[in-house]
Amino acid sequence: MLPKIAVNLSARQLIQATLISKSGRILERTEIKPKYLELEITETAMMLHFDITYNVLSLLSERGIRIYVDDLGTGYTDFNYQKIFPVKSLKMDRSFVRDLASAPIAELTKPYLQWHMA
């Protein structure tokens, strides 16, 4: 079994018209199955160009590429938006989870935990 390959995408890369075709060509050339490719984007990058990003991530996800939101808790942190995008996992930033035991932070995480466990 091949190890998974994680690649960070910038906001600029997300809106490039060639991202879909480039990712397909790279997968073909390297003979890597899409399920082994993990694309990581920050929540801020995901929200900058909402419509474009949604379409691009949906197409990539339909091709079997896994999408991850990286550094959750450093940008928008609106869990309702996280449900709209085809993401496989949310990677919370250390600064966000450091004080989870405190009451105000614990209240912030309830929607995420309820959504994630549903």
Side-chain angles (χ1 to χ4, degrees):
M1 183 169 129
L2 291 173
K4 293 179 182 168
I5 298 170
V7 177
N8 289 310
L9 290 180
S10 69
R12 181 179 287 168
Q13 289 171 311
L14 279 171
I15 61 170
Q16 286 181 347
T18 58
L19 178 62
I20 304 291
S21 59
K22 274 185 184 178
S23 62
R25 283 193 309 272
I26 290 169
L27 288 172
E28 284 178 22
R29 242 184 280 144
T30 58
E31 298 180 1
I32 295 173
K33 292 183 181 179
K35 67 181 181 180
Y36 294 118
L37 178 59
E38 299 175 353
L39 297 180
E40 297 182 1
I41 59 169
T42 64
E43 60 181 324
T44 302
M46 185 173 68
M47 299 306 296
L48 281 177
H49 304 282
F50 185 90
D51 292 338
I52 295 169
T53 303
Y54 175 80
N55 290 333
V56 167
L57 295 181
S58 294
L59 288 169
L60 291 168
S61 181
E62 287 171 8
R63 293 174 181 213
I65 296 170
R66 297 173 178 265
I67 310 296
Y68 291 81
V69 177
D70 199 12
D71 295 335
L72 184 72
T74 60
Y76 292 87
T77 314
D78 184 336
F79 294 108
N80 288 317
Y81 284 120
Q82 306 303 328
K83 292 191 293 187
I84 295 170
F85 287 92
V87 298
K88 290 289 181 189
S89 182
L90 303 173
K91 298 170 74 178
M92 292 185 164
D93 187 75
R94 180 173 289 146
S95 66
F96 186 71
V97 296
R98 179 179 38 229
D99 300 320
L100 280 180
S102 70
I105 298 296
E107 288 300 314
L108 286 173
T109 59
K110 278 184 183 177
Y112 166 74
L113 295 174
Q114 290 170 345
W115 168 69
H116 191 64
M117 292 181 188

